[in-house]
Amino acid sequence: MGQLIAAIDEGRTLTQERKRPDLAARLDSAKKKLDSRTVTAVVVGEFKRGKSTLVNALLQTAVCPVDADIVTAVPTLVRYGERPGLTAYRQANPGQDPVGFPAPLNQIAQLVSESSEGPEEGRLQSVTVEVPHRMLRSGLSLLDTPGVGGLDSVHGQLTLAALSAADAILFVTDAAQELTAPELEFLQTAVSRCPAAAVVITKTDLYGHWRRIVELNTSHLATAGIDLPIIPVSSFLRLRAAQRPELNQESGFAPLVEFLATAVVVPGTTRAAATIAQEVDFVATQLAQESDAERVVLSKPQSRPEVLSKLTKARDQAAGLTAAGATWQQTLSDGIADLVADVEHDLQSRLRTVMRDVETIIDQGDPNETWGDTEVWLRRQVAVAGVANRDLLIERARDLGERVAEAFDLEAGTEVEVELSQFSTDLEQLELASVSTLSMPGGRLASLMMAGRTGIFVPMIVFSLGSLFLPVIAVAGVAATLGAGIGGKLLKDERKRQRTYRQQQAKGAVRRYVDEVAFVMNKDTRDSLRKTQRQLRDDFQERAGLIHRSAAAALTAADRTAKLPPAEQTARAAELSLEGNRLRSLRSGLREVAMAGARPAIGAAAGIGVGAVAHQVIDDDQVDDDD
């Protein structure tokens, strides 16, 4: 697979010659990561904009269900597989990772539109479909997301949070209307999280004025300061092009395929190649340490005692890296503890601000009339606070990884990937009290009847006593006036009392809801950071073990070589010279991959350049059109 694959193969040969199966296993792991690399393009947009149809049209395969009565309810990931297959991921218990279950492909419509929880199987989290398609063989994966249901809604905010892990965004709208203000606001935030993005305007075959919509959207994006390509397409014509290839150009999909190839696949796989190159270079460094030690004792016989002393010291220092009290271990442990405290404090601060704002809103109105709007606003603000808190968690965790790497004294630290549960599901499951639970016991009618009875009872007493001394007509008038005044005052006070009661109940409901959100998110924060801590600990611990074994092997090899007879030393020096050349060539090639961004070929044994990658993806697409 080009330069990087050749480097891995050469490195493995060297590890076998040096009898280092531990380093060979490291290379095998790097090879697996390279083979399983993925570049994910997330398809987002409002409901019924043609997202699922767009995915089907790209692949010219009926993967995602697109029936008029079906609304995608769970994320559907479409990726490459040697054979067609479907896996449904369900969360059996809260707080646990979803478990995958194979399912027949003909059940995908039922699965992706599922919205209820199965009490026995658990809540459906996502669906993965594997398709043996040429375009996906490049590592490209397409994630068809549920409609965001209002881009400024809770779902829209949570979708934005997920885009940080995406390699590219395809924002789908249709030619029925121009971009709205919420869509533009969503795009501004989305691009800040994932710069590789494009606006795809679907259904150009249905709306004759689609060119005018493209012009308006271009103007809107320019005004908003958003520099994104706009790609108008007809999924219907693209699907028909499978039988009539001449329709492919008219469908407008060629620019979209080129965008995916050049702006998504190439950069994504370049980053993956650079990461793998660093891993292989680490192995090459360990091999070079042993080779260099032998060459030094052969080239400078007079300094052998000093060299062996330095190698002994290096071995002892490397042994210290594996100890529980190593500096990097302390940095990691203290950093995780500080990070948990800071992230929880940040969340608490954000939620307290939300609480103050929502209490002000409740005080300004009657929850009986405004609770629906208040609930929508509250859920969105809680989602915004949660997303911001997650962003802080990820950023600080990456900083911690760099500090641990620095304490470990590595030139390139381990890339930190914080494993977060889909807290969108957790938040959606949290219930907020309904408006019916905010009223006083007995209901509004009982309170009004009590006030009315009091308003009638007082005038009756006045009438009974006053009729003994005054004319009946005069007493009746006074009683009626008094009853009306007292009754009106009582009714007004009762309505105010009920409103105050509902406001207090609403504040209590909000407080319980926010407390539940904090409980769920703090639990997830701790779980995520524990996973991150284990990830960093295990990786650096493995590196420490490899470094220690390399230092010990270098000392042993240097001591052994120093004791060889002169003739054997000469032969060994020649062998080491050749090995040194191989290692220098190997590391030089790795630097080129890491810095110049050369990427491995897609599905080919021979190497191809970066430019050829894009052409291969596009050529594969044209082959599909001709099939």
Side-chain angles (χ1 to χ4, degrees):
M1 261 197 186
Q3 202 168 21
L4 185 54
I5 295 297
I8 293 176
D9 292 341
E10 176 67 7
R12 208 177 190 295
T13 301
L14 288 169
T15 59
Q16 290 174 347
E17 293 175 359
R18 282 288 178 179
K19 295 181 174 56
R20 292 295 302 275
D22 51 347
L23 294 177
R26 191 88 178 184
L27 291 176
D28 291 340
S29 177
K31 180 69 161 42
K32 290 179 181 178
K33 290 179 181 178
L34 187 62
D35 292 339
S36 62
R37 70 196 182 281
T38 57
V39 182
T40 304
V42 181
V43 184
V44 299
E46 292 280 15
F47 287 109
K48 295 299 182 182
R49 291 295 191 267
K51 299 188 296 297
S52 299
T53 307
L54 178 72
V55 174
N56 291 346
L58 265 172
L59 304 178
Q60 293 187 314
T61 306
V63 179
C64 302
V66 294
D67 190 272
D69 297 330
I70 293 177
V71 176
T72 303
V74 296
T76 304
L77 180 67
V78 183
R79 66 185 185 188
Y80 181 79
E82 293 293 338
R83 298 176 182 176
L86 185 151
T87 305
Y89 291 89
R90 295 183 180 274
Q91 188 177 33
N93 297 307
Q96 294 184 354
D97 294 334
V99 179
F101 299 93
L105 276 171
N106 58 13
Q107 290 186 8
I108 185 171
Q110 175 187 351
L111 289 170
V112 302
S113 61
E114 182 178 85
S115 59
S116 61
E117 285 191 32
E120 296 182 358
E121 297 176 328
R123 183 182 179 88
L124 189 68
Q125 296 286 329
S126 63
V127 170
T128 297
V129 182
E130 294 185 346
V131 181
H133 194 278
R134 293 182 181 89
M135 186 183 298
L136 303 180
R137 190 180 297 152
S138 66
L140 176 66
S141 298
L142 300 171
L143 181 61
D144 182 21
T145 62
V148 295
L151 294 171
D152 59 347
S153 65
V154 173
H155 198 170
Q157 294 299 315
L158 299 177
T159 299
L160 281 172
L163 295 181
S164 298
D167 295 287
I169 303 168
L170 297 181
F171 183 85
V172 179
T173 183
D174 58 33
Q177 64 178 25
E178 57 195 282
L179 289 170
T180 63
E183 286 178 318
L184 290 170
E185 182 180 353
F186 181 92
L187 277 170
Q188 284 180 319
T189 308
V191 171
S192 67
R193 292 174 175 272
C194 182
V199 176
V200 181
I201 300 179
T202 61
K203 306 179 184 179
T204 57
D205 56 295
L206 296 181
Y207 301 98
H209 61 279
W210 65 267
R211 292 179 178 83
R212 176 58 179 164
I213 295 298
V214 171
E215 293 177 0
L216 291 173
N217 287 342
T218 302
S219 175
H220 292 326
L221 291 176
T223 302
I226 306 173
D227 184 16
L228 291 181
I230 296 180
I231 307 174
V233 299
S234 168
S235 298
F236 173 76
L237 294 178
R238 167 72 171 182
L239 290 169
R240 292 287 300 274
Q243 288 76 37
R244 298 176 56 188
E246 66 274 12
L247 294 178
N248 190 57
Q249 187 65 29
E250 188 177 350
S251 72
F253 268 75
L256 178 57
V257 173
E258 185 174 2
F259 169 79
L260 290 172
T262 59
V264 180
V265 173
V266 170
T269 50
T270 295
R271 290 191 296 270
T275 302
I276 299 301
Q278 291 179 354
E279 188 71 17
V280 179
D281 186 67
F282 171 77
V283 172
T285 301
Q286 305 309 306
L287 293 172
Q289 181 177 354
E290 190 173 344
S291 179
D292 291 343
E294 289 190 72
R295 284 205 305 274
V296 169
V297 297
L298 288 177
S299 61
K300 299 179 179 180
Q302 70 281 3
S303 60
R304 287 175 186 172
E306 181 182 356
V307 170
L308 294 176
S309 175
K310 289 182 179 180
L311 289 174
T312 302
K313 183 178 179 181
R315 182 198 60 187
D316 295 340
Q317 289 178 339
L321 288 175
T322 63
T327 302
W328 70 269
Q329 293 266 32
Q330 294 298 322
T331 301
L332 176 59
S333 178
D334 294 344
I336 289 293
D338 293 342
L339 186 51
V340 168
D342 291 346
V343 171
E344 289 186 352
H345 179 269
D346 176 80
L347 178 63
Q348 194 66 28
S349 176
R350 294 179 189 278
L351 292 181
R352 287 180 66 181
T353 301
V354 173
M355 276 294 304
R356 287 194 295 267
D357 293 342
V358 76
E359 286 182 353
T360 300
I361 293 174
I362 291 173
D363 287 336
Q364 293 174 349
D366 186 349
N368 199 39
E369 301 171 355
T370 63
W371 186 245
D373 293 337
T374 302
E375 179 179 357
V376 172
W377 182 90
L378 174 62
R379 288 185 180 275
R380 182 183 185 277
Q381 294 304 311
V382 165
V384 170
V387 170
N389 184 253
R390 288 306 178 89
D391 290 343
L392 175 68
L393 170 62
I394 294 173
E395 180 183 357
R396 292 286 302 277
R398 288 173 178 166
D399 291 342
L400 175 60
E402 293 177 0
R403 294 202 308 273
V404 174
E406 184 178 353
F408 195 91
D409 196 23
L410 290 179
E411 294 181 0
T414 300
E415 182 179 356
V416 177
E417 296 181 2
V418 182
E419 296 184 15
L420 298 173
S421 65
Q422 295 187 1
F423 79 109
S424 58
T425 303
D426 297 332
L427 292 186
E428 290 171 357
Q429 290 179 338
L430 297 181
E431 295 184 357
L432 187 60
S434 64
V435 66
S436 61
T437 64
L438 305 180
S439 299
M440 295 181 66
R444 183 179 181 183
L445 181 60
S447 300
L448 292 179
M449 289 180 64
M450 178 65 70
R453 185 174 63 183
T454 304
I456 295 173
F457 181 70
V458 172
M460 286 180 62
I461 295 177
V462 172
F463 179 80
S464 300
L465 296 176
S467 62
L468 297 176
F469 308 100
L470 298 172
V472 175
I473 296 178
V475 174
V478 172
T481 302
L482 183 61
I486 294 175
K489 180 67 168 58
L490 289 173
L491 290 174
K492 181 179 179 180
D493 290 345
E494 181 61 24
R495 283 195 293 268
K496 184 178 180 180
R497 189 171 72 90
Q498 288 188 20
R499 174 179 171 177
T500 302
Y501 179 85
R502 287 192 292 269
Q503 289 173 337
Q504 293 173 345
Q505 292 297 107
K507 291 179 182 179
V510 166
R511 194 172 295 108
R512 289 190 296 272
Y513 172 73
V514 172
D515 287 345
E516 188 67 18
V517 169
F519 175 78
V520 170
M521 291 199 63
N522 285 336
K523 172 65 165 59
D524 186 64
T525 292
R526 291 177 177 271
D527 291 343
S528 300
L529 289 178
R530 275 196 293 269
K531 291 180 181 178
T532 301
Q533 182 178 15
R534 285 192 289 268
Q535 172 197 343
L536 291 171
R537 181 200 62 202
D538 293 345
D539 188 81
F540 284 119
Q541 191 72 46
E542 182 181 355
R543 287 173 180 264
L546 292 173
I547 291 172
H548 178 245
R549 284 190 288 275
S550 297
L555 176 61
T556 301
D559 185 54
R560 180 180 62 247
T561 302
K563 297 175 181 178
L564 291 175
E568 293 184 17
Q569 287 185 357
T570 302
R572 184 56 180 162
E575 294 175 357
L576 291 172
S577 178
L578 292 175
E579 185 180 68
N581 292 334
R582 292 165 64 187
L583 283 169
R584 281 192 294 272
S585 176
L586 170 64
R587 301 188 70 182
S588 175
L590 292 173
R591 283 193 294 270
E592 290 180 11
V593 174
M595 298 182 66
R599 117 184 245 310
I602 302 174
I608 60 176
V610 174
V613 174
H615 291 298
Q616 180 164 345
V617 175
I618 296 173
D619 291 343
D620 284 342
D621 179 63
Q622 299 301 328
V623 171
D624 291 334
D625 295 340
D626 296 335
D627 285 346

